């Protein structure tokens, strides 16, 4: 780690975060949960919010892909996604659903403001975001896709959205 110039867990916890929260809305795969934690660590995310049926650490299957990121990244659990989103709004986050709905902003057109905090909501692998979560989003972004599937694995989506945000804000 020294040769890679990596900060240790305590150093990571102390450093200023990017003002991003990741919300996992009923994500069923523990590997996807672990991957979201690992990506959150890589992009210096403030916290991960686990909702509904989303598994919570500690768990061996989450740890397989998180590789210790559940120890570095702050996380919390809320049974109802809508309750989590309402709380995040009170904390000053703008809630962004990552979903294919009729009124979406293409991710390449999303222009994040550096003075705002964003909570990005990622839905279930098979069904997308829950109905309760859709109603509490301030707006939606969608990753343009050109193949036959029109969907990406949720863990890939987390990486794409966070990289887009970081590259646009120079965070």
């Amino acid at each position: 780690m020294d040769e890679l110039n990596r900060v240790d867990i305590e150093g990571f916890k102390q450093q200023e975060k990017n003002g991003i929260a990741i919300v996992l809305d009923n994500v069923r795969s523990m590997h996807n949960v672990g991957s979201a934690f690992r990506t959150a660590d890589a992009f210096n995310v403030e916290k991960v919010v686990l909702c509904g049926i989303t598994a919570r650490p500690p768990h061996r299957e989450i740890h397989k892909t998180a590789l210790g990121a559940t120890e570095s990244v702050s996380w919390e659990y809320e049974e109802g996604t809508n309750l989590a989103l309402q709380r995040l709004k009170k904390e000053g986050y703008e809630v962004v659903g990552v979903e294919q709905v009729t009124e979406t902003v293409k991710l390449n057109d999303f222009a994040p403001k550096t003075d705002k905090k964003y909570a990005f909501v990622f839905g279930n692998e098979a069904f997308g975001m829950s109905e309760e979560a859709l109603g509490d989003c301030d707006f939606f972004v969608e990753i343009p896709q050109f193949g036959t599937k029109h969907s990406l694995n949720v863990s890939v989506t987390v990486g794409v959205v966070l990289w887009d945000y970081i590259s646009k804000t120079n965070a």
Side-chain angles (χ1 to χ4, degrees), residues 4 38 59-60 77 101 125 138 140 149 155-156 158 162:
L4 294 174
R38 192 165 165 190
H59 195 284
R60 185 175 58 88
Y77 174 77
V101 295
E125 295 90 339
D138 295 310
F140 297 90
K149 298 300 176 203
S155 65
V156 172
V158 170
L162 291 183

Side-chain angles (χ1 to χ4, degrees), residues 150-168:
H150 296 285
S151 70
L152 295 168
N153 179 281
V154 66
S155 65
V156 172
T157 302
V158 170
V160 169
V161 169
L162 291 183
W163 171 249
D164 180 76
Y165 173 86
I166 296 296
S167 66
K168 289 176 178 173

Side-chain angles (χ1 to χ4, degrees), residues 17-170:
K17 301 293 182 267
N18 288 328
I20 302 168
I22 295 173
V23 180
L24 300 182
D25 176 26
N26 293 298
V27 172
R28 67 181 183 207
S29 165
M30 287 188 244
H31 295 286
N32 285 337
V33 174
S35 180
F37 269 99
R38 192 165 165 190
T39 303
D41 179 276
F43 290 115
N44 197 28
V45 165
E46 192 168 309
K47 62 182 166 182
V48 174
V49 182
L50 309 171
C51 302
I53 66 166
T54 306
R56 301 179 298 276
H59 195 284
R60 185 175 58 88
E61 293 301 312
I62 294 172
H63 182 72
K64 275 185 184 178
T65 48
L67 295 179
T70 56
E71 301 302 317
S72 59
V73 176
S74 295
W75 66 272
E76 51 199 51
Y77 174 77
E78 184 75 58
E79 187 171 334
T81 305
N82 60 329
L83 298 174
L85 299 183
Q86 291 164 15
R87 183 173 37 76
L88 286 165
K89 285 183 180 191
K90 287 179 185 170
E91 294 173 10
Y93 288 90
E94 189 155 359
V95 177
V96 182
V98 182
E99 186 60 85
Q100 297 170 339
V101 295
T102 54
E103 298 293 323
T104 62
V105 174
K106 298 293 186 195
L107 187 60
N108 49 302
D109 294 328
F110 171 52
K113 308 277 190 280
T114 55
D115 62 338
K116 287 192 173 196
K117 297 192 318 182
Y118 294 94
F120 294 101
V121 186
F122 301 90
N124 178 278
E125 295 90 339
F127 306 110
M129 289 177 56
S130 63
E131 288 294 323
E132 69 176 18
L134 291 171
D136 282 312
C137 292
D138 295 310
F139 65 95
F140 297 90
V141 295
E142 175 182 350
I143 299 170
Q145 298 168 54
F146 311 101
T148 61
K149 298 300 176 203
H150 296 285
S151 70
L152 295 168
N153 179 281
V154 66
S155 65
V156 172
T157 302
V158 170
V160 169
V161 169
L162 291 183
W163 171 249
D164 180 76
Y165 173 86
I166 296 296
S167 66
K168 289 176 178 173
T169 61
N170 297 314

